[in-house]
């Protein structure tokens, strides 16, 4: 059995999709503060691949002065990082993706 498409059906589906996307976006995507994210563990597979450590041994190279850190909570020792989405890194840490902030 073949269903015939109609302009009315197309408009109904399009309108329903737009409404669903708009309402769904409000339900599925929300801002999360750094305090709500879990800390990155050194034994996490991605952390191990990038040689992440909570305490940097390289002078001047720490997460707090890395281009990839997101300073969400200025008073926190744990901040979100672009390399490790959904987790926070220690501001005194380091990984092989370190990139210094421009002066």
């Amino acid at each position: 059995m073949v269903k015939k498409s109609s302009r009315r059906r197309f408009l109904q589906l399009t309108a329903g999709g737009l409404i669903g996307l708009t309402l769904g976006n409000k339900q599925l995507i929300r801002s999360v503060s750094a305090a709500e994210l879990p800390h990155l563990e050194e034994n996490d597979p991605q952390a191990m691949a990038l040689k992440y450590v909570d305490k940097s041994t390289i002078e001047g190279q720490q997460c707090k002065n890395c281009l990839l850190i997101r300073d969400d909570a200025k008073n926190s020792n744990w901040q979100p990082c672009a390399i490790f989405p959904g987790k926070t890194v220690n501001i005194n840490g380091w990984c092989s993706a370190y990139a210094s902030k421009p002066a």
Side-chain angles (χ1 to χ4, degrees):
M1 182 165 139
V2 177
K3 290 187 177 182
K4 281 187 123 185
S5 298
S6 69
R7 187 176 1 176
R8 177 178 286 162
R9 183 72 179 143
F10 172 76
L11 291 174
Q12 288 173 337
L13 292 173
T14 302
L18 288 174
I19 292 170
L21 287 174
T22 304
L23 294 176
N25 185 30
K26 301 216 183 296
Q27 297 296 320
L28 297 175
I29 299 173
R30 66 178 182 89
S31 295
V32 178
S33 70
E36 295 176 303
L37 296 174
H39 296 172
L40 179 66
E41 300 290 334
E42 290 182 2
N43 63 357
D44 179 278
Q46 186 180 5
M48 289 172 50
L50 292 172
K51 300 178 182 143
Y52 170 79
V53 291
D54 285 339
K55 178 105 172 101
S56 175
T57 56
I58 303 170
E59 178 131 2
Q61 290 191 12
Q62 298 163 325
C63 292
K64 64 184 167 192
N65 56 24
C66 179
L67 185 64
L68 302 167
I69 196 87
R70 298 184 180 144
D71 298 323
D72 281 357
K74 302 286 184 190
N75 297 327
S76 175
N77 286 335
W78 294 86
Q79 296 293 323
C81 175
I83 297 296
F84 304 104
K87 305 244 172 98
T88 55
V89 297
N90 191 305
I91 62 170
N92 297 311
W94 179 89
C95 81
S96 62
Y98 174 83
S100 63
K101 289 181 181 177

